[in-house]
Amino acid sequence: MADLNDNVQRAATIAVLVENEAGVLARVIGLFSGRGYNIDSLTVAPVDEHGRLSRITVVTTGTEMVIEQIKAQLDRLVPVHKVSDLTLEGPHLTRELALIKVVGTGSARQEALRLADAFRARVVDATTESFVFEMTGSGEKLDAFISLMRPIGLAEVSRTGAVAIVRGTSSLTA
Amino acid sequence: MSPQTLPAASATTSLTGAEIVLRALKEQGVDVIFGYPGGAVLPIYDAIFQQNAIRHILVRHEQAAVHAAEGYARSTGKVGCVLVTSGPGATNAVTGLVDALMDSIPIVCLTGQVATHLIGNDAFQEADTTGITRPATKHNYLVKDIRKLAETVHDAFYVARSGRPGPVVIDLPKDILVGKGPYTEAPKREHRSYRPQVEPDAGQIRKAVAMLKAAKRPVVYAGGGVINAGPEAAALLGKLVRMASLPCTNTLMGLGAFPASDPQFLGMLGMHGTYEANLAMHGCDVMFNIGARFDDRVTGRLNAFSPGSLKIHADIDPSSINKNVKVEVPVVGDAAAVLRAMIAAWDEEPAQQDREAIAAWWRQIDLWRGKKCLDYVQTGKIIKPQHAVKRLYELTKESGRETFISTEVGQHQMWAAQYFGFEKPNRWMTSGGLGTMGYGLPAAMGVQVAHPDALCIDIAGEASILMNIQEMATLAQYRLPVKVFILNNQYMGMVRQWQELLHGSRYSESYSEALPDFVKLAESFHGVGMRIEGADDLDRVIREMIAIDRPVIVDCAVDEKENVMPMIPSGAAHNEMLLASGQESGGGASVTDQGMGLV
Ligand SMILES: Cc1ncc(C[n+]2csc(CCOP(=O)(O)OP(=O)(O)O)c2C)c(N)n1
Ligand SMILES: [Mg+2]
């Protein structure tokens, strides 16, 4: 464990396996707001075949002491099965999906398509004056693409927030 | 978890929802419910009417129902049970729930709710009870399927009493209560998701023992967790402390965990703790915290808190460890299990204690004790509040009666903590974490219900007592001979003290204007009222009060301007304590600008 006295902030990607029941997301969010922790992003969806378990991925930043607190506080919520700090678990994959709408005509359209191609963003909707691109990748990659689109005619962005999983055989189960 | 699976095998004939609730309560060992009726819970009241196994105590305000259940729970070690109606019934209970959450008291609170199809429609007496109580409880449930009702009740009791105990709400829509469904018995299997660690890790225990055994200046700092772990935990604490010659201090919530009369007891620590306890905490080389949480009232200024010590922290709640204070040896587990394991591991640890160093440490502690920080001077007719509590303690002890003390919140609470000696756990009920004025009377009521023959005294302030005074009617109805002993200083004394010390003696709105005649008030509630005007009345009236087998209010006039000392002002360190005038000052703290911003 890193030094708890350290004032250095770090980012943590935390996976939480919870009972898929009413109010569980409110409990998690209420914990962050009630205790003044940051939420950089949060995603949730059922993950088992019966729909009884949901996986929440929270990205947060804080000192080592705060992050340890966040994990302990999450872990003591009654519907929480497991809490895993992927940042400490070792190599893991993080992905995010975005839908990006760009509006424009003429050369701007050409430029948008050319950049989309370079970033492997897919066109999922098109009109004579707009595109919707779909893109997955790390948050930084999405950021980069979105900022390139801004001068070209960025109109709207919808992002999922990060989901993450540890590489290799180890897995998070209830 | 939500009881999504239905153990079909044990499902029996169908009952109404209200009957299912009562049967589940009975199975969980409930013998008394504190409650108040209303439209949404009428089906449960109807079912209560038709049975005798569970007694219902009708309180006069839902907040008091929760505090009464807290008193019941804390004095028995069982889960306290509350029943209130929807909307205002539930919102009135919220203060009690937060109180129980902060002090880790196991409560199950049943709240009525409008019928399922009306939820969200702003129906009459609808409130978003699960939404409102989410941060006020350890867990809560809204039952939407009668087939899950029994299992939800069982689950709620398991959650309330397991791990770090706390309050749990079950919100019960009216259609669920009148509908029909199967009864299921409490499941024998493990809980799906909530399985707190009770037994400590053996490696951590070895580390803790090695550290404590090597200490030259050890101190044990024991809190409410020892009380919550049951009387055995207190007995084990006593054993460890004595076999290792350790000095022991208790938190406000921990009073009674170690006997007050024991020579190894240093008294309470913290903001109004003793000089010796706080200086021992400050100067120790190894601190063993068992079942306490490094609360800000205990630590004072964090960066000056016990700067030279290695710290062991044993707690059932991992989130309490390394929250405020970084420790070297965290131990997760139940206090009794931890103490048992430490005692077992003690002789296996090859290192020997440095008895000489510990003897020198005790000599140092005795020097601090020599300061006699709790001394006061009682001369003349005006009663010092400290003296009143001391006599109350001595005379109740003399009576030989089993005695339980509750308090309201303020100076009287601190004087009760300082001058009433508790020899056993579960005898002391106070609102520590939330500091809820109005707690003491209903809490004493709950204690008296659980211990009908005991002497139950609420040590009160004249301001606090008015916050739940309506419960005098409950005392009368059920012939609960609770004694309310008011230290009447004509002020919200604790507020006045802070105004004196922090706000230039500008006593803004802290004078207790237009007080009722407490003697007549007691009489109008079918009780006995008595007044103590001067020091020469004190013993006589206390003796009389103890002898009366009815509710009593004693209005005891005390010195208006007395302050609670010693005091570590907010933002100060343990070695910067203020002592009573006449005693040499500890380190001469004055309140800093930074401290002003703290509460
Ligand atoms: C419900 C509630 N409101 C306000 C406070 C703040 N408060 C703490 S002590 C106190 C004064 C209590 O006065 P009294 O009951 O007369 O006790 P004393 O301090 O005089 O012994 C107040 C207002 C509180 N603790 N609880
Ligand atoms: Mg007062």
Side-chain angles (χ1 to χ4, degrees):
Chain A
M1 201 193 328
D3 187 358
L4 293 174
N5 275 342
D6 218 340
N7 280 324
V8 182
Q9 302 255 329
R10 75 154 166 111
T13 302
I14 300 171
V16 193
L17 211 54
V18 301
E19 284 285 306
N20 179 20
E21 65 180 35
V24 64
L25 190 58
R27 270 179 230 289
V28 170
I29 292 171
L31 190 147
F32 277 78
S33 63
R35 294 187 183 264
Y37 308 141
N38 300 310
I39 298 181
D40 297 334
S41 87
L42 186 145
T43 66
V44 58
V47 289
D48 70 327
E49 57 176 320
H50 309 294
R52 279 163 55 168
L53 292 174
S54 287
R55 179 167 169 136
I56 298 175
T57 310
V58 203
V59 181
T60 182
T61 37
T63 61
E64 197 57 43
M65 197 154 164
V66 165
I67 287 168
E68 287 304 315
Q69 256 300 296
I70 291 175
K71 289 188 282 184
Q73 294 287 352
L74 284 168
D75 204 30
R76 74 182 189 140
L77 294 178
V78 172
V80 167
H81 285 269
K82 284 274 170 59
V83 177
S84 171
D85 185 344
L86 300 179
T87 315
L88 293 189
E89 287 282 311
H92 63 279
L93 298 164
T94 303
R95 290 289 179 275
E96 186 175 353
L97 184 144
L99 296 172
I100 300 145
K101 183 176 287 182
V102 179
V103 175
T105 50
S107 63
R109 283 173 69 78
Q110 296 306 314
E111 184 64 4
L113 275 181
R114 205 177 55 75
L115 286 166
D117 197 40
F119 274 78
R120 298 209 185 132
R122 287 201 304 139
V123 177
V124 289
D125 179 67
T127 68
T128 51
E129 286 169 23
S130 69
F131 289 117
V132 175
F133 297 110
E134 176 198 304
M135 188 171 163
T136 37
S138 67
E140 298 82 66
K141 184 178 160 194
L142 303 194
D143 289 346
F145 182 69
I146 289 164
S147 63
L148 285 173
M149 287 297 118
R150 197 157 279 126
I152 295 173
L154 182 73
E156 193 178 340
V157 178
S158 178
R159 295 172 67 154
T160 58
V163 293
I165 203 161
V166 168
R167 286 181 187 271
T169 53
S170 86
S171 39
L172 186 65
T173 50
Chain B
M1 78 154 228
S2 102
Q4 274 148 334
T5 45
L6 202 70
S10 58
T12 55
T13 47
S14 74
L15 302 170
T16 68
E19 289 164 345
I20 292 172
V21 169
L22 281 192
R23 186 152 159 201
L25 294 184
K26 219 177 113 187
E27 191 185 330
Q28 290 295 331
V30 173
D31 54 6
V32 54
I33 306 181
F34 300 91
Y36 205 91
V41 285
L42 285 182
I44 299 186
Y45 275 87
D46 203 33
I48 286 175
F49 190 82
Q50 299 177 45
Q51 55 87 52
N52 285 320
I54 298 177
R55 183 177 183 209
H56 179 271
I57 303 288
L58 176 69
V59 297
R60 267 48 174 185
H61 187 294
E62 291 87 350
Q63 181 193 350
V66 186
H67 293 325
E70 287 184 88
Y72 176 93
R74 209 163 166 73
S75 67
T76 60
K78 290 162 63 173
V79 178
C81 192
V82 177
L83 170 61
V84 299
T85 193
S86 66
T91 56
N92 269 352
V94 169
T95 300
L97 294 171
V98 179
D99 193 89
L101 183 70
M102 294 286 274
D103 285 345
S104 310
I105 313 291
I107 298 290
V108 169
C109 176
L110 310 172
T111 57
Q113 182 54 277
V114 301
T116 329
H117 71 277
L118 290 174
I119 291 179
N121 286 11
D122 300 322
F124 178 62
Q125 294 198 326
E126 179 185 356
D128 175 8
T129 300
T130 46
I132 291 168
T133 62
R134 197 169 292 125
T137 53
K138 179 173 175 185
H139 193 56
N140 62 18
Y141 310 81
L142 169 62
V143 180
K144 284 179 149 175
D145 178 351
I146 193 163
R147 288 170 304 169
K148 293 175 186 162
L149 177 56
E151 197 176 338
T152 304
V153 177
H154 297 313
D155 203 67
F157 275 83
Y158 167 80
V159 169
R161 68 171 171 258
S162 307
R164 179 175 176 174
V168 175
V169 160
I170 311 176
D171 205 21
L172 298 165
K174 193 165 183 183
D175 54 325
I176 299 288
L177 294 176
V178 297
K180 289 217 161 193
Y183 183 77
T184 50
E185 282 171 11
K188 303 275 181 287
R189 60 185 152 70
E190 272 201 323
H191 195 278
R192 270 173 65 77
S193 57
Y194 186 66
R195 296 184 291 266
Q197 183 179 346
V198 173
E199 288 300 326
D201 176 80
Q204 293 303 97
I205 290 290
R206 274 195 300 275
K207 279 190 211 163
V209 167
M211 187 176 276
L212 194 55
K213 229 174 159 181
K216 294 182 190 311
R217 299 186 310 280
V219 70
V220 176
Y221 148 43
V226 178
I227 312 269
N228 277 339
E232 196 204 344
L236 291 165
L237 176 70
K239 187 169 176 196
L240 178 70
V241 165
R242 287 188 199 100
M243 72 190 219
S245 305
L246 306 170
C248 181
T249 173
N250 285 165
T251 65
L252 180 68
M253 296 308 293
L255 293 178
F258 189 74
S261 64
D262 194 292
Q264 283 172 247
F265 187 54
L266 305 185
M268 181 173 76
L269 82 165
M271 182 175 272
H272 294 298
T274 66
Y275 189 66
E276 51 271 32
N278 286 332
L279 287 194
M281 289 287 282
H282 192 79
C284 65
D285 68 342
V286 175
M287 176 186 299
F288 174 37
N289 169 349
I290 173 105
R293 59 185 177 91
F294 292 111
D295 169 82
D296 57 88
R297 283 292 182 273
V298 156
T299 61
R301 180 153 46 89
L302 268 181
N303 61 8
F305 174 67
S306 193
S309 64
L310 298 172
K311 298 174 187 76
I312 304 161
H313 185 182
D315 206 295
I316 188 103
D317 177 5
S319 77
S320 279
I321 302 177
N322 285 324
K323 181 174 65 180
N324 303 329
V325 171
K326 181 192 170 291
V327 301
E328 280 68 28
V329 182
V331 184
V332 176
D334 169 76
V338 168
L339 289 163
R340 203 180 300 116
M342 284 182 70
I343 290 169
W346 194 261
D347 291 328
E348 285 163 26
E349 162 63 34
Q352 290 304 311
Q353 277 187 293
D354 184 344
R355 288 279 166 177
E356 209 145 296
I358 292 174
W361 176 229
W362 271 112
R363 283 195 294 279
Q364 172 63 64
I365 288 171
D366 285 337
L367 284 180
W368 289 328
R369 277 175 165 166
K371 195 78 103 182
K372 298 200 179 304
C373 69
L374 293 181
D375 272 11
Y376 58 86
V377 186
Q378 172 66 47
T379 49
K381 196 168 142 62
I382 296 176
I383 300 173
K384 288 286 182 196
Q386 299 94 323
H387 184 60
V389 175
K390 189 128 183 263
R391 291 309 296 156
L392 187 64
Y393 169 52
E394 283 161 353
L395 293 172
T396 52
K397 203 160 79 175
E398 201 181 281
S399 79
R401 300 267 303 274
E402 184 81 83
T403 303
F404 294 81
I405 299 293
S406 71
T407 72
E408 306 291 333
V409 170
Q411 291 183 315
H412 62 276
Q413 175 189 29
M414 292 299 117
W415 286 316
Q418 291 174 329
Y419 295 93
F420 207 101
F422 295 94
E423 298 298 310
K424 296 185 213 159
N426 308 98
R427 302 299 191 277
W428 162 246
M429 332 288 135
T430 198
S431 171
L434 195 62
T436 312
M437 291 169 70
Y439 167 88
L441 175 54
M445 187 166 93
V447 176
Q448 189 83 74
V449 167
H451 308 272
D453 300 324
L455 183 56
C456 299
I457 306 175
D458 172 28
I459 299 181
E462 81 294 337
S464 295
I465 193 62
L466 292 179
M467 286 215 179
N468 269 320
I469 193 69
Q470 75 288 342
E471 297 310 316
M472 289 300 294
T474 313
L475 297 185
Q477 179 176 344
Y478 297 96
R479 300 179 193 283
L480 299 168
V482 167
K483 314 295 187 284
V484 177
F485 193 88
I486 302 174
L487 296 178
N488 188 342
N489 53 8
Q490 311 260 357
Y491 277 99
M492 296 173 194
M494 193 56 98
V495 174
R496 192 204 57 72
Q497 174 166 348
W498 281 51
Q499 288 171 332
E500 180 185 332
L501 297 175
L502 284 94
H503 296 276
S505 298
R506 290 178 295 279
Y507 298 136
S508 178
E509 305 293 326
S510 56
Y511 186 67
S512 285
E513 203 83 51
L515 284 173
D517 177 332
F518 284 109
V519 172
K520 285 190 185 145
L521 185 145
E523 286 163 0
S524 77
F525 276 111
H526 319 287
V528 177
M530 293 191 279
R531 220 184 303 277
I532 302 178
E533 315 237 340
D536 38 0
D537 294 338
L538 190 61
D539 283 17
R540 178 182 55 78
V541 175
I542 291 174
R543 282 205 177 88
E544 229 175 283
M545 174 193 87
I546 292 173
I548 296 173
D549 191 29
R550 289 171 59 192
V552 180
I553 295 180
V554 174
D555 181 10
C556 177
V558 298
D559 192 346
E560 292 181 11
K561 292 287 169 70
E562 191 64 26
N563 285 336
V564 181
M565 290 294 161
M567 177 172 181
I568 301 173
S570 299
H574 277 182
N575 60 343
E576 304 172 324
M577 210 176 320
L578 301 177
L579 294 175
S581 54
Q583 292 164 351
E584 222 177 294
S585 156
S590 53
V591 177
T592 59
D593 284 350
Q594 224 180 358
M596 282 279 279
L598 304 170
V599 279

